[in-house]
Amino acid sequence: MRILRDDRVFALLLLAPAILCVLGLVGWPIAQIIGFSFVEGAKLNALGGGARPLGFGNFISVLTDPETWDSVVTTAIYVAGATLPAFALGLGAALLLNRSFPLRRALRCLALLPWAAPGVLVSIIFLWLFDPSYGVVNYLLRSFGYHGEDIAWYSNENTALAAAILPTIWKGFPFFALTILGALQTIPADLYEAADIDGANRTQAFFNVTWPGVRGPALLALVLNGLWALREFDIIFATTGGGPSRASETLGIRAYLEAFSYYDLGRAAAIGVLTLAIALALLAVARRPLQKEFF
């Protein structure tokens, strides 16, 4: 009973079920992936992994393969292209939805719909919009005289990655809007009144009052959305499948193809570990700014 009176022990006991769930649902799969990455061989039978030799062969094979680094570059472009525009759209939407106007509550609910939609459904919508023959985008381009020929957006090496990024932006911007809108509503109105009395214009009020008030949550949302984009799979696979000619093959798509098209679980697990290492590197870069904002 004396042990239970210790606040730290009591807190750990209360947190124990959640810690066990995280270890079981997150820690155990990660440990399995790391274990498979050291098993050499090209068989899909994961249960027979113990009979195969262990070594660094999968990592050497993956890291010396130029296609791996092509996928790393494609992943970096995809993450930056999907995150930064979504952040800009979300910030603009949050500033707009923070104002008073008719039907504001209804618009707030509607703005969340893209985030709630499944990735495959979003992919189907954009496949229809960018259809070479019947799509709305090509129709508008022809109507306004910007392009006379039909563009096969998802079948062209030059446009496939950008066309896969667009649905990711559309699906991701409500998360930024919701996060920043919540932070905006915590900023006291007195600060804006003081800025107005001091003669600050809207730009000065934004950078001296609004942005300091939302900077912490906005940074956290950027980090989370960047990590989600790093492991994005469903939208890319449903729209391009990583093609054409590997133009949109990110690390997530490449790991899937290694495992279920080439039946090489070891290389697929090594790519998964590489992706995990990149995510940890991003977190290490973001750690200091996040600590400055929240701790």
Side-chain angles (χ1 to χ4, degrees):
M1 293 301 293
R2 184 178 297 176
I3 296 177
L4 291 177
R5 291 174 186 171
D6 188 326
D7 291 342
R8 292 185 178 180
V9 174
F10 188 64
L12 283 175
L13 287 175
L14 291 177
L15 289 172
I19 293 173
L20 289 175
C21 286
V22 170
L23 288 176
L25 296 175
V26 179
W28 187 79
I30 290 177
Q32 290 293 308
I33 292 294
I34 294 175
F36 277 133
S37 67
F38 290 100
V39 178
E40 299 182 1
K43 295 180 180 178
L44 187 61
N45 182 13
L47 297 178
R52 295 197 293 273
L54 301 179
F56 293 93
N58 292 318
F59 288 101
I60 295 172
S61 172
V62 165
L63 295 177
T64 56
D65 188 349
E67 292 185 354
T68 299
W69 299 106
D70 291 342
S71 295
V72 170
V73 173
T74 303
T75 303
I77 296 172
Y78 181 83
V79 170
T83 303
L84 298 180
F87 170 75
L89 281 174
L91 177 61
L95 292 173
L96 176 65
L97 293 174
N98 195 43
R99 293 176 173 275
S100 297
F101 57 87
L103 301 177
R104 183 178 65 168
R105 291 185 178 180
L107 280 179
R108 283 180 177 178
C109 296
L110 287 175
L112 291 176
L113 283 180
W115 192 38
V120 174
L121 177 61
V122 173
S123 304
I124 292 172
I125 293 172
F126 276 78
L127 282 171
W128 175 77
L129 289 173
F130 286 89
D131 185 89
S133 302
Y134 309 105
V136 176
V137 175
N138 277 344
Y139 171 77
L140 292 175
L141 289 176
R142 287 194 305 269
S143 300
F144 290 101
Y146 289 111
H147 207 282
E149 299 179 357
D150 293 336
I151 302 174
W153 296 92
Y154 288 105
S155 304
N156 189 317
E157 293 179 28
N158 299 320
T159 59
L161 183 57
I165 286 174
L166 285 174
T168 314
I169 294 173
W170 188 74
K171 183 171 170 54
F173 92 87
F175 173 69
F176 288 109
L178 182 66
T179 305
I180 297 173
L181 179 61
L184 282 173
Q185 294 183 344
T186 64
I187 300 175
D190 297 350
L191 295 180
Y192 289 104
E193 293 175 3
D196 188 46
I197 293 172
D198 290 340
N201 57 32
R202 289 187 177 183
T203 305
Q204 291 170 327
F206 174 80
F207 284 106
N208 292 291
V209 179
T210 304
W211 180 245
V214 303
R215 184 173 53 205
L219 180 60
L220 182 61
L222 269 173
V223 173
L224 289 175
N225 200 81
L227 293 176
W228 293 337
L230 181 65
R231 58 103 175 109
E232 183 65 53
F233 176 81
D234 50 356
I235 290 178
I236 306 173
F237 192 76
T239 52
T240 66
S245 301
R246 304 184 52 252
S248 58
E249 187 183 272
T250 59
L251 284 172
I253 298 292
R254 183 164 179 78
Y256 174 85
L257 294 176
E258 290 284 355
F260 300 108
S261 293
Y262 313 136
Y263 306 117
D264 193 334
L265 276 182
R267 275 176 60 91
I271 294 172
V273 173
L274 175 62
T275 308
L276 182 63
I278 294 173
L280 291 175
L282 290 175
L283 283 176
V285 171
R287 180 172 172 267
R288 185 179 293 272
L290 286 174
Q291 278 186 328
K292 186 179 177 182
E293 293 293 337
F294 292 102
F295 301 103

